[in-house]
Amino acid sequence: MLKDKLAALNIANMKAAQKHSILRMAVSIAIGLGLATVLILFTSNKPSESLKYYFTAPLMNASYFSFWIQKAIPIMFTGTAVCIMFSANQFNLGLEGSFLFGGLTAALTNLYIAPNNPALGIPLSMILGILVGALITFIPALLNRLFNASIMVVSLMMNYVCLNFSMYLLFTYFKNPASSKNTYPWAKDTIMTLKFGRGNNQFTLFLSFFVVLAVVILAWYFLFRTKTGYKLRTVGVNANFAKYVGINIVNVAIIAQIIGGMIGGLGGACEIMSNYTNYSWVELTGFGWDGVTIAIFAKNNPKYVPLAALFLAYLRTGAMVMSFKTNVQNELTLVIEGVVILFLLAEKFLSGTYRKMIVAEAEAKKAKAAKEAK
Amino acid sequence: MGQVLSTFARIFANPNFYATVLAVTPPILFAALGCAIAQKANATNMGIEGIMLISSFCGVMASYYIGHTNPWLGLLVSIIVGGILGYLVSFFAFRLKVDIILVGIAMNLLGNGLTAFFLYVFTGDRSTSNSLQSGTLPQISIPGLKDIPVLGQILSGQNILTYIAYILIFVLSFFLFKTKLGLRIRAVGENVNAAESVGISSLKIRTIALIISGMFGGLGGAFMSSVYLSYFTKGIVGGRGFIGLAACSMGGANPIPAALTSILFGFFYALSGFARTTGISDNLVNMWPYIATIVGLVVYSIKQTNDEKKRLAGLNAEEEPKKS
């Protein structure tokens, strides 16, 4: 009898928890978008036009639509990577470096190892990008394993080392002397895209979109359907528990970071082959940090990464179009992201409503049970 | 090789080099001290980078719009804004229970976003506030000291905020280790439950620690836009907040070791600046501060681990006689 009651209460709690998490997500996003609207209204010289572009630009024509997808792909890669690393509670922030070096590796592969041969160049770039990307997140993991050095700090520093080292390589060895910061081109047009139509109606099909979908599915399968993935999440939820049930937490943490770096490197390789014909990155891409945002939105579950990435990319495309059509800066989106993250993660935000929801649900159950008993 | 060595010898023999070390360290130092006080209360203030950025921007704007190019007003506003942002970090982290690292990441996003957005709103320029006169803080030559040959060249004639930075090392050290509030901050950081059990409100103490931490960030931000440069540019802080965080981490969150580490980073910053003029690749030289950070952190961590082992060994040695 008591057991049944408890079970009923538990289910009630779960439903309330789910509802509440959706509510919190909705309210956080509403606060973010509300703030965006207010800022646009106060600062734009053409408020209604700015708002129109901000909220609907990606759906206006095929070219903006393609742009939306183009923006979503890299952050889907890094978002998935961060999901895996954060699931094991490893705050490795070295994805910026992995992504950058993945891109550089792909560029050099297409320029020097497999020139004018995309059929070989594309897969080879991906493989090499994966290896290089993994190496970069592995270094902080290794230093942590050997010397107990802070993963977060070492990985932050690694990003700047990677940036400067890649620029050293670019400017000293690979720069096209006729240009300021570009390598020679490896093809006339981007090698991982198919383009249809012209001008505003140009639709671009990104082959990397299929790659990233495969990555997302594999990552989800790995985290939720394999033994190692289960161990990894256990370490993330409660490292002490994991240790006492005999999981080698150090190895699991390192595996998580290597996989994260692999995905980051692959993302960089795909990005460079999808959107560029020569390599010219002289600053960090920011996609590594975006990955953190995406992983937070997706609650560390790769299943939700595409949705989160499409949402963020939608806002960014809107902001981008708005900034070149009207006078509002596209950095507005960063503000929205920050605000949404803060409210989304706030355990105590709307916690009163949560309690009320649990009570209401439990009362409903009780009333129902009483009715049935009669 | 010989040529490179002689170049370095020339750099190290130049008093200006040491003056530059002292002049480029303060933003890192402010960040490191800010992180140190927060860390002492067991709160990692990763948002220091964003706090520096926002307070730097607000300082410049206040100096131009309210203070008629008065940099002191800008400095004051920077410090106040830093304090407010520090309070916001503590509010989200400890009242609303968001993981403090993620609060930091959100703060950095907000920093990049808000400053770039409002920079354009206020100046119509996408990258700098060069068009607004915001003033710089004065340099001070110390009478007596400035006439001593080499030492005067190094120590005198620095900016007033630079002197303030070095003085604050000792002020913070005194505050943390010799005052009641400092003791409470450390108590909360060491063991929250123990602190709570003797009636210390950990929420209140951490809030105070983060407000002070934010004010240090404000000082660092003001340094960037009223000493290092005389205007605000997009992304002006350039990772110095993160390096300060690293310095704090290497210094075990103690003001004096954290300050020494900051000076070490300043040394590499200055060295990269000087080496640039000698034909060594810019980009290779730019890597030094970051590699130095990683190496330093590893050395510190090894020492830390060894100390811990020794301590445990010592405890075991003490226990053994009791058994017999």
Side-chain angles (χ1 to χ4, degrees), chain B residues 34-59:
Chain B
C35 287
I37 183 168
Q39 197 65 54
K40 274 288 173 213
N42 204 6
T44 307
N45 189 4
M46 204 186 147
I48 194 97
E49 176 94 4
I51 292 179
M52 285 167 78
L53 205 50
I54 298 177
S55 52
S56 169
F57 177 78
C58 292

Side-chain angles (χ1 to χ4, degrees), chain B residues 161-235:
Chain B
L161 204 51
T162 307
Y163 294 114
I164 293 176
Y166 294 105
I167 292 167
L168 279 177
I169 302 169
F170 303 101
V171 174
L172 184 65
S173 197
F174 179 84
F175 172 74
L176 278 175
F177 295 104
K178 294 280 185 271
T179 66
K180 205 163 136 190
L181 190 55
L183 176 69
R184 288 187 173 173
I185 288 175
R186 287 184 295 127
V188 168
E190 287 283 330
N191 189 334
V192 183
N193 294 332
E196 291 270 1
S197 73
V198 294
I200 299 173
S201 158
S202 69
L203 180 69
K204 201 170 114 193
I205 295 297
R206 278 178 171 155
T207 305
I208 293 172
L210 275 166
I211 289 176
I212 299 174
S213 170
M215 289 161 83
F216 273 103
L219 281 163
F223 189 94
M224 290 314 295
S225 57
S226 63
V227 179
Y228 192 82
L229 296 175
S230 58
Y231 49 85
F232 179 86
T233 64
K234 208 160 122 181

Side-chain angles (χ1 to χ4, degrees), chain A residues 25 68 76 294 297-298 302-313:
Chain A
M25 174 78 81
W68 173 26
M76 269 161 81
I294 299 287
F297 283 9
K303 197 161 76 176
Y304 302 119
V305 162
L307 196 66
L310 285 171
F311 170 68
L312 208 60

Side-chain angles (χ1 to χ4, degrees), chain A residues 16-33:
Chain A
Q18 221 166 31
K19 264 193 208 162
H20 178 253
S21 106
I22 293 170
L23 176 76
R24 201 160 71 181
M25 174 78 81
V27 174
S28 309
I29 291 174
I31 292 176
L33 293 182

